[in-house]
Amino acid sequence: MAERGARLLLSLTFLLLLLFTTAAKSTDKGSVARHFTPFWFLVEPADILAVRGSPAVLNCSAYSDLAPRVEWKKDGTFLNLASDDRRQLLPDGSLLLTSVVHSKHNKPDEGYYQCVATVDSLGTINSRVARLTVAGLPRFNSQPEALMVYQGDSVVLSCDVNLDLVPFTRWELNKEPLDLDERIISLPSGALVISNVNESDAGLYRCIVEIAATVKASDEAKVEVLAETGMPRQLQFLRPPVLSTKVQGQDMLMPCVATGYPPPRIQWMFNDKLIDSSGNRSKIIGGGSLLILNVTDEDTGMYTCLAGNENDTLQASAELMVQVPPQFIKRPTNIYAHESMDIVFECEVSGVPSPSVKWVKNGDAVIPSDYFKIINEYNLQVLGLVKSDEGFYQCMAENDARNMQASAQLIILEHAQAAGSGPTPSAPRDVVASLVSTRFIKLTWRLPAEPHGDNITYTVYYKPEGSSRERIENTSRPGELQVTIQSLMPETKYVFRVVAHNKNGLGESSTPLKVSTQPEVQVPGPSPNLRAFATSPTSITVTWDMPLSGNGEIQNYKLYYMEKGMGNEQFVDVGSLSYTINGLKKYAEYSFRVVAHNKHGLGVSTEDVVARTFSDVPSAPPQNLTLEVRNSKSIMVQWQPPPPGTHNGQITGYKIRYRKGLRKSDTTESTGGIQLFQLIEGLERGTEYSFRVAAMTVNGTGPVTEWVSAETFESDLDESRVPDKPSSLHVRPLVTSIVVSWTPPENQDIVVRGYAIGYGIGSPHAQTIKVDYKQRYYTIENLDPSSHYVITLKAFNNMGEGEPVYESAVTRPLSVPDPTPMLPPVGVQATVLSHDTIKVTWADNSLPKNQKITDARYYTVRWKTNIPANTKYKTSNTTNLVHMVTGLKPNTLYEFSVMVTKGRRSSTWSMTAHGTTFETIPNSPPKDVTVVSKEGKPRIIIINWQPPSEANGKITGYIIYYSTDVNAEVHDWVIEPVVGNRLTHQIQDLTLDTPYYFKIQARNSKGMGPMSEAVQFRTPKAESSDKMPNDQASGSSVKPGGRHSGDDFATSVGKPNLSGNPTSMGENNIPMIVIVIVSVGAFTIIVVVVVAVICTYRTTSKQKKKRAACKSTNGSHKYKASSKDLKPPDLWIHHERLELKPIDKSPEPNPVMTDTPIPRTSQDITPVDSSLENSIHQRRNSYRGHESEDSISALAGRRGMRPKMMMPFDAQPPQPVISAHPIHSLEKPHHHYHSGSLASPTRSCLHHSISPRPLNNSICHIDRVNSSESVRNTPSTEPLSIPGQSICSVEHPDPDTGTGFLSTSSEEETNRNPPTAHVRPSHPLKSFAVPNSSGTSFESPVLPSTPLLAQAGTTPQLHSVKTASIGTLGRTRSPMPVTVPSAPDIPETSKMLEEVESNYEPDELTEEMAHLEGLMKDLNTITTA
């Protein structure tokens, strides 16, 4: 049994040995048996400066697995070191020269040395070439000379020696070594420069050259220092700049020494740009010489030294050329190949000047031939490999600065035989040349008789007859039975054979086929001297010479051209030797080639030449201009470059223009290079600035972007304390990473400059990462799987880090594979489109350059506002690279980020983009409206309120409406404007013991918001200096149509109960209340009857003498009644856009009136719609007239008053206008409106007598020097026509004919929108009211306006007339004085003046005012009666 086991073990051992032997043999024959051998230089020789008689060493050391043999070449010839006594080969391969020999006629050691390393049976490599230079004998080209120099001036002492001796040169003062510093320097020539000379610099100077043991001194030169006389001396250069050539990395000292008095100031310019000498790399030393440390290729250029004082200026220039040694962009790599293959060694180098490249194989230069070719300027192509091509190939690059080398190994492999291979195909049959040309042959054949498989491929081997190098060409796909061999030589015999191969390997070769290419057709050769040069930004001229071998008459030329990188070549037929191609792209590179054509056909093409069109200014503005307000005095401006293809050259910078508000003048700042942002500082607080950007090239500035505006903060964010903790922190663990996301602190008033993320296993203090303040996410990488990490997040600013927020997460186990995360979108931009819409755009780096989406990915856009800070994100999905986010809040800052998802893979959130929606009109009224009386002044009340909860923008003002009748229409209420964001206002001269109702309307730059609910307040009953109530409105809202008991709001003077609550009174007072009410009612009825009888009598007796004033129905006068003396009402209400025409002669002084253009058609009236946003043009038209500022200035001067001001209530369409005028009623009262005009209450017609002719213009304007406010309200109206009533007409100027027309209204306007008051403060306004009595009437049946009261004996219908009177027609109206505060004087008053144009002569104005004065007297008589 044991013997059997031993035999079995022996058999197994034998089988294993057999298998190993077979495998080894197979490996030796396979392609993986041989490996690349490491072989390179550890140290290469460098250029050295040797000294005669001294030793010198050239270092060299090579590395390989096998010990290399090192040899040396001098000037290309191997040195025989064995028989050389002075030259020795050191053990590491270095070359030692024991004593350098050098004389004038014998220089055996000076020259170029190269180290050569060889490994037998492997190959040879050459080192770089090093130059050995021997320093010459000490010799002075010039000696220092004695000089006298003024104190504070500069001096130069010459000591010019050969450049190779400069390193051995030094200076002595009084035979003591002289220490050099920035005041005393040595120039590259060896000369000594002393700047700002003082007395200690006087003495004897000499120059010393010391080489080895040889020391040579120059003559001594005495320097005397003279006292400065103060007399001017001519400015001159002692040593101007000189041409300099440096190798990259060296230091450059450009001399510039000037003298004169006053002492000159030295500045340097580089290519017309001033050099900052305070930088780290460049500084001025020695009184004016420029020192640049570690020069680079960018320092190449022209340097100009500017020397100037008060009397003169000099300049001198010199060029610096920086040479860059060759650098390998792509080194050749090792290659495995088979015989007959074609290979390419790639080698790409850069340098200045452009390096030349040559190739070396195993230490010998490669000579270009049919099989060794230099392609693409630097690459080496080897065709038809043979076994002898194995070895080391070196790319040797050289320019004026240095030479470099890089090597690669080529190994020729034998074709591997598959282990246990089956049968291979037999030889292909019937190989024939089906097409033979001058430079190509097409071969075809049939399947082998025994293919032994289906997927048969073929290889064609070919070579010129008699050559040992056989090349190969493979078929493009299995089963193909033909191939075309290209790039053959004409009239040459080639030998072809075809080999089939299947999965088992190569089969038998076919019988060799010999075929000769046809002789070359007599076509033209290439055209020499092909040149192309740009002539403009869109044209290039190409020139060439006739082919040297034209082979007959040249019929024409085909000029082929193509934009580099595009691939669509075009051509044009040319009959001459030059052609200009127009319509090319600006600053684009094009390639050109020319083919001559004769009767035989097209000839040989030239090599391509390349030219670039000239640059031009950009043809498009920069993209995605965004503004980010940093603080109260700075705004960050960011943008993207113009679209590709519109740069038209190299973008050299960007020009930023910005202006304050809407001013025409702007400020310009420029950026250099590719900077895409600029921080604009030094701005004013709380001010709107507009910005636009343009790109620049060397040719100029391109088009600018549209204006984009932003407003600086009123106050800076707080940075006196650290930020609060972030409002939230979320973590998402993966296997080796954790995605952290967060939201900013809730307190947005503290500056946050960034976030600090700490993390670690069990402790968050192991590592800390800081990110930008805009960042909202971060991915912590390189974590351990299945580990518990603690994460902390803190916001920080310049004061320090704030309170942290903690979170923990456990990374996933390693067994759970993470889906590869996608790249997050980049370049997220938020473009504001309206008050509720922002367009979000982005780019996806995982998409192709054209950003075309072809897969099933989608994007998630999320957004939120940080006020309040805990607002949740909203999201929306889209499959595009742009998304419109709608439904946003107006005037709100939003932040946006985007995430891409594809299948189960998602990216992190992108960087955030911010956008603030535009303003819109307020959506809610002012709140918390309260009214109190002013202590000690019962006729003055103080109204307080709070801003609207939905202001939708910056509140620019308020309008206070008040009336004694809560049911009156809005246009019947008196209004008071409040400028700015004040939340309190006083109203004066109210009537005692009268209930008033108050409403408030807020306004921003976009228009008016809704009105608040009416709040009632009753003024005190009597004035008292010591016991005045300070009542506050009850706060209950009074709806129109609703009534309150008068006692609810009554104020008891001098009593403690001021609340107006009837329940607080005792039940015993109820009879007293009833008696008071009945008494007051009876007294009121008696007064009304008496007043009505008197007014009726007065009207009847004076009807033929005096007529009630005719006026347009868009307004009515209010007279202010007093309990005692009633003075004539002051109707000098200033209005900017009204006109008085001559009506009657009067000896009164010349009044001043203005002309108001009236719209011609009904389309000119824009109904009030608070939901509409208006353009800037509409906003301007809402308050600007068409007159010139000159005319109003002159008019103001004649009036002797200050210019008018307007409240900046813009952004509204033509608004309704409210004024204080009485209302006159007809027997059948109607409303009269100007069809197609803006009804203005001041466009009323008050005529002393009835004229039988139509009036030129029925608009009357009353002005007064001490008036200051104009209150306007124009209602929306319907046209009405009343036949027979045309005596007082409203004339509308026709822009075409100059004539007017009359249009009135016959229907009551029932459903009209509540008008919005447009208040324009100009001068103090005296409003007034006239008490109306229903029992008294004026008869005016022929006047086409609304009389003051209805005619006796008729029942007038009550109509709501849009006026500013308190109450409605037909009711007793309590007197209501109105005081509107003057607009504040502001610096830009001149910009806000209404332009007024006067069309009247002084006589006409006198007639108008005379008529008006008479009317005032009549109205005074009526009122006092």
Side-chain angles (χ1 to χ4, degrees), residues 543-760:
T543 64
W544 59 91
D545 296 338
M546 290 186 63
L548 300 178
S549 57
N551 296 325
E553 182 183 357
I554 301 298
Q555 295 180 351
N556 62 5
Y557 298 89
K558 282 190 179 294
L559 173 59
Y560 293 87
Y561 63 97
M562 172 180 64
E563 184 180 357
K564 293 283 283 186
M566 299 304 293
N568 52 339
E569 191 174 46
Q570 305 176 59
F571 73 91
V572 60
D573 290 326
V574 182
S576 61
L577 297 177
S578 66
Y579 187 79
T580 300
I581 302 175
N582 298 307
L584 303 179
K585 293 182 180 179
K586 297 178 179 180
Y587 199 66
E589 200 172 41
Y590 288 85
S591 63
F592 302 88
R593 64 186 181 94
V594 174
V595 179
H597 182 268
N598 64 9
K599 63 182 180 180
H600 300 291
L602 292 175
V604 181
S605 174
T606 63
E607 294 293 331
D608 288 358
V609 296
V610 177
R612 184 186 292 274
T613 52
F614 289 153
S615 60
D616 199 359
V617 297
S619 55
Q623 306 178 92
N624 300 328
L625 175 60
T626 59
L627 305 177
E628 178 185 344
V629 181
R630 288 294 180 89
N631 50 49
S632 62
K633 293 187 177 181
S634 65
I635 294 178
M636 174 64 75
V637 186
Q638 295 174 300
W639 62 90
Q640 293 296 320
T646 63
H647 294 191
N648 300 338
Q650 202 75 25
I651 298 295
T652 58
Y654 294 88
K655 185 172 291 185
I656 305 166
R657 295 182 181 273
Y658 63 95
R659 65 187 184 188
K660 177 180 173 184
L662 298 177
R663 290 183 175 178
K664 293 183 178 180
S665 60
D666 54 29
T667 306
T668 302
E669 287 195 13
S670 298
T671 67
I674 58 174
Q675 180 177 326
L676 299 176
F677 63 90
Q678 180 76 359
L679 181 65
I680 307 298
E681 299 181 296
L683 306 179
E684 297 181 11
R685 298 175 181 266
T687 305
E688 183 181 57
Y689 287 87
S690 299
F691 295 82
R692 60 182 181 182
V693 181
M696 296 186 296
T697 63
V698 294
N699 304 87
T701 304
V704 296
T705 62
E706 296 293 331
W707 288 106
V708 177
S709 300
E711 185 175 344
T712 54
F713 297 144
E714 287 286 352
S715 59
D716 291 330
L717 296 180
D718 184 13
E719 201 171 4
S720 62
R721 51 197 174 115
V722 298
D724 294 347
K725 65 180 181 180
S727 54
S728 69
L729 174 62
H730 304 282
V731 296
R732 181 164 65 95
L734 301 175
V735 176
T736 59
S737 61
I738 297 177
V739 180
V740 184
S741 60
W742 62 88
T743 54
E746 294 185 2
N747 188 353
Q748 301 288 310
D749 296 331
I750 304 177
V751 174
V752 175
R753 300 198 179 274
Y755 296 91
I757 305 169
Y759 65 95

Side-chain angles (χ1 to χ4, degrees), residues 154-168:
S154 298
V155 64
V156 177
L157 297 172
S158 298
C159 180
D160 292 339
V161 295
N162 293 336
L163 291 179
D164 55 356
L165 295 177
V166 170
F168 307 99

